[in-house]
Structures are given as structure tokens and as C-alpha cells.
């Protein structure tokens, strides 16, 4: 387990370096023009102690396309819904991890051309080693936690195109229980959700919207420092809170079978008089990887 934790710390370091580079170059992640500066940087070297391992496999070029579909809100989904629209994901972070990088843990060289952000069409072209490797995709790179990276094993012989589709389901709770703890000025909220019946799903962090006793509407998510009030706040903050509500945080380290019931308990440091069930939701995603014929 220690090696896995070290490995994820390295991934965090890589992402932090990339975002810092973007800041210095004054390019936002969603701009297609960022790829030139990345190629001029050369190799990023990550070392553990004095050891250094360099991977030099046969290199090819791959195209990665990232698409998403928002399936909306419901207490029950089938998981095989046909009415949806796939849209390109702009600014998704895509990494290619070759065999040497995977097997040597934190002691490896990650080539600069092995990662990049998707453009307005949801595409990015990267270098990749021929053979087997891991494709890592973070569709929302403002979440830099390693659990927010989806991973898939792929095999490449030529100039393949890979399409990664993220299907987002917003599950309204089927059951809500609120226990007020006046001594600690907090509410213990227990929520139950039912996963879509078909397929398997990655589960995210629940978003809770509620009324306070004074009638104010607030938004709570576990990775926020405190509930966000939506009343009498500046317009920019209101926009940020809206994005915080719409943009989910999903854990891609493990998936769950369809139809499974998920129970989430959150501690809100507030007296929530009434949970808004139609706005409170659990984000879950089904991810589909497709390989198109080499062109």
C-alpha cells in the first residue's frame, strides 16, 4: 500500500507541475494553444533517491477523444437510456502511462508529449509507446485528487484513436433522514440512493441543498470547507456556487454494480430544517472506452 500511496503522490506532483506551467504561460487549460509550450519543455524527470529509470519503447501517436453525456436527475435510472447527447469535453487532462512508468513506481521519466488537455472538439494527440499501457483521463482537472483520474488499459500497434465516454447520472435520494445534534450545532444527514439497474458505476460525493430555519437556501458538499449560502452573495460567488453544484466530484478507484443501494452520511455544521430532495443528488458515472480503427 505504501508504494501505491507514493505512486499517487507522484501523479499529484505531475499534475501540480503541469498546472503551474499553465499559469506561468498565461494559458487556461481549455485553450488548444497550450500544447506547443508543453512540447518545448522536454522531459519531466521524477526521481526517487538517486535511482533513475528511462523508458525508451517504440513510439507512436494516438488520438484521444473525450465525450460526456448528462443524463439528468432521477431517483431511478435503468442505465441503458437511449435519449442523450454526447458533447466534447474541453480541457480534460489525458495522460499516457507506459509500462516502465507503471512497474517502476515513483522512479521513472514521464515524457512531456505523453500528456495534454483536450481542445474544443474534445480531442488531444499524444505520443504513446507501442504495446500495452494505461490511459488516464481526468474530465474535470480542477479536481486534482488522484481518485478523480479514470484509468483504462489499452494496447496500441499503430495510430489508433480512443474514445472515452462519460455518462453522468444525478441520483436523487430515495430516503432522507436528518438527526439534529444541538450540542454540536450540526445536522447528521443520512441519504440513500439506488444505482441505475444496468452496468457498473463510479460513485461521487453527494451534493446536499437545504433550507435553514431562517429560510436561507444553502449548498453543501463534503469537499467544501463549509456550506455555501445562496442568498445575498455577490454575483461572481453565486456563479461559483452554481458551478460547484453542477460539477461533480467522482471517485474512479472502484466501481459498483447496477441496482446497488448506496448510503451516504454527511455532517453539516448547520441546522438544516428541510432537505430539498429534488436538488440534492449523488453523482455516478458509467465510463465507456472505445477503440476506433487505425487510420
Amino acid at each position: 500500500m505504501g508504494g501505491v500511496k507514493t505512486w499517487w503522490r507522484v501523479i499529484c506532483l505531475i499534475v501540480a507541475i503541469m498546472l503551474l506551467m499553465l499559469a506561468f504561460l498565461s494559458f487556461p487549460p481549455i485553450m488548444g494553444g497550450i500544447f506547443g509550450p508543453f512540447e518545448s519543455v522536454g522531459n519531466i524527470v521524477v526521481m526517487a533517491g538517486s535511482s533513475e529509470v528511462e523508458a525508451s519503447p517504440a513510439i507512436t501517436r494516438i488520438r484521444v477523444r473525450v465525450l460526456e453525456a448528462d443524463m439528468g436527475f432521477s431517483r431511478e435510472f435503468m442505465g441503458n437510456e437511449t435519449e442523450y447527447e454526447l458533447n466534447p469535453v474541453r480541457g480534460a487532462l489525458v495522460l499516457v502511462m507506459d509500462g516502465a512508468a507503471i512497474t517502476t513506481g515513483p522512479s521513472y521519466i514521464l515524457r512531456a508529449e505523453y500528456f495534454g488537455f483536450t481542445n474544443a472538439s474534445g480531442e488531444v494527440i499524444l505520443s504513446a509507446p507501442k504495446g500495452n499501457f494505461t490511459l488516464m483521463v481526468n474530465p474535470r482537472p480542477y479536481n486534482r485528487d488522484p481518485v478523480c483520474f479514470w484509468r483504462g488499459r489499452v494496447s496500441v500497434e499503430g495510430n489508433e484513436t480512443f474514445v472515452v465516454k462519460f455518462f453522468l447520472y444525478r441520483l436523487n435520494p430515495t430516503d432522507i433522514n436528518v438527526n439534529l445534534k444541538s450540542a454540536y450545532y450540526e445536522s447528521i444527514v443520512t441519504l440513500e440512493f439506488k444505482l441505475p439497474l444496468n452496468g457498473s458505476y463510479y460513485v461521487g460525493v453527494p451534493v446536499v441543498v437545504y433550507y435553514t430555519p431562517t429560510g436561507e437556501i444553502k449548498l453543501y458538499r463534503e469537499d467544501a470547507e463549509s456550506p455555501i449560502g445562496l442568498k445575498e452573495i455577490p454575483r461572481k460567488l453565486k456563479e461559483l456556487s452554481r458551478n460547484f453544484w453542477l460539477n461533480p466530484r467522482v471517485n474512479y478507484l472502484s466501481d459498483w454494480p447496477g441496482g446497488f443501494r448506496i448510503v451516504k452520511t454527511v455532517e453539516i455544521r448547520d441546522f438544516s430544517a428541510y432537505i430539498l430532495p429534488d436538488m440534492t443528488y449523488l453523482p455516478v458515472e458509467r465510463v465507456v472506452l472505445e477503440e476506433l480503427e487505425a487510420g
Side-chain angles (χ1 to χ4, degrees), residues 172-232:
N172 294 130
T174 58
D175 188 63
I176 302 174
N177 184 274
V178 180
N179 181 19
L180 301 179
K181 298 178 66 176
S182 57
Y184 299 97
Y185 193 65
E186 67 181 6
S187 301
I188 309 300
V189 182
T190 303
L191 306 164
E192 183 174 324
F193 304 90
K194 182 181 178 182
L195 294 182
L197 291 179
N198 300 290
S200 60
Y201 299 86
Y202 300 98
V203 177
V205 174
V207 176
V208 181
V209 181
Y210 63 94
Y211 279 115
T212 67
T214 61
E216 183 180 7
I217 298 179
K218 286 192 175 183
L219 165 71
Y220 175 80
R221 202 167 80 179
E222 286 181 341
D223 51 338
E225 295 182 357
S226 61
I228 301 175
L230 304 182
K231 183 181 180 182
E232 296 180 356

Side-chain angles (χ1 to χ4, degrees), residues 53-99:
V53 179
E54 181 174 3
S56 55
I59 302 298
T60 186
R61 302 286 279 180
I62 64 170
R63 182 188 305 272
V64 180
R65 184 179 303 148
V66 183
L67 305 174
E68 65 179 356
D70 193 324
M71 310 302 293
F73 294 79
S74 178
R75 287 171 179 79
E76 290 197 22
F77 284 100
M78 293 301 297
N80 57 1
E81 286 78 7
T82 57
E83 293 186 5
Y84 60 83
E85 181 180 0
L86 280 167
N87 298 304
V89 180
R90 187 179 186 183
L93 174 57
V94 183
L95 299 94
V96 169
M97 308 303 293
D98 65 19

Side-chain angles (χ1 to χ4, degrees), residues 101-293:
I102 295 169
T103 58
T104 58
S107 179
Y108 65 95
I109 293 179
L110 177 64
R111 303 171 186 271
E113 63 268 23
Y114 274 22
F115 58 82
F117 293 92
T118 54
N119 59 20
S121 300
E123 295 185 353
V124 60
I125 298 177
L126 302 173
S127 294
K130 287 188 176 182
N132 300 321
F133 62 87
T134 296
L135 191 65
M136 300 180 65
V137 180
N138 187 336
R140 309 168 190 96
Y142 59 85
N143 285 328
R144 291 178 287 175
D145 192 314
V147 305
C148 298
F149 285 79
W150 174 86
R151 295 165 304 286
R153 292 287 289 172
V154 298
S155 180
V156 169
E157 295 299 329
N159 299 322
E160 277 92 346
T161 294
F162 296 97
V163 181
V164 187
K165 301 176 180 179
F166 291 85
F167 295 85
L168 172 64
Y169 297 79
R170 303 176 191 269
L171 305 181
N172 294 130
T174 58
D175 188 63
I176 302 174
N177 184 274
V178 180
N179 181 19
L180 301 179
K181 298 178 66 176
S182 57
Y184 299 97
Y185 193 65
E186 67 181 6
S187 301
I188 309 300
V189 182
T190 303
L191 306 164
E192 183 174 324
F193 304 90
K194 182 181 178 182
L195 294 182
L197 291 179
N198 300 290
S200 60
Y201 299 86
Y202 300 98
V203 177
V205 174
V207 176
V208 181
V209 181
Y210 63 94
Y211 279 115
T212 67
T214 61
E216 183 180 7
I217 298 179
K218 286 192 175 183
L219 165 71
Y220 175 80
R221 202 167 80 179
E222 286 181 341
D223 51 338
E225 295 182 357
S226 61
I228 301 175
L230 304 182
K231 183 181 180 182
E232 296 180 356
I233 58 178
R235 179 177 178 181
K236 180 172 290 187
L237 181 57
K238 185 175 294 187
E239 182 178 348
L240 290 174
S241 63
R242 179 177 180 274
N243 290 335
F244 183 80
W245 179 69
L246 289 175
N247 291 315
R249 175 186 172 91
V250 179
N251 184 338
Y252 296 110
L253 289 186
S254 60
D255 57 354
W256 299 85
F260 194 81
R261 292 190 177 274
I262 301 289
V263 176
K264 293 285 188 178
T265 300
V266 297
E267 299 181 6
I268 302 176
R269 292 199 171 277
D270 208 338
F271 285 115
S272 55
Y274 181 70
I275 304 295
L276 298 177
D278 292 335
M279 297 183 69
T280 295
Y281 74 92
L282 178 73
V284 301
E285 278 188 320
R286 177 169 59 92
V287 183
V288 176
L289 172 64
E290 296 180 355
E291 180 179 355
L292 304 183
E293 294 293 332

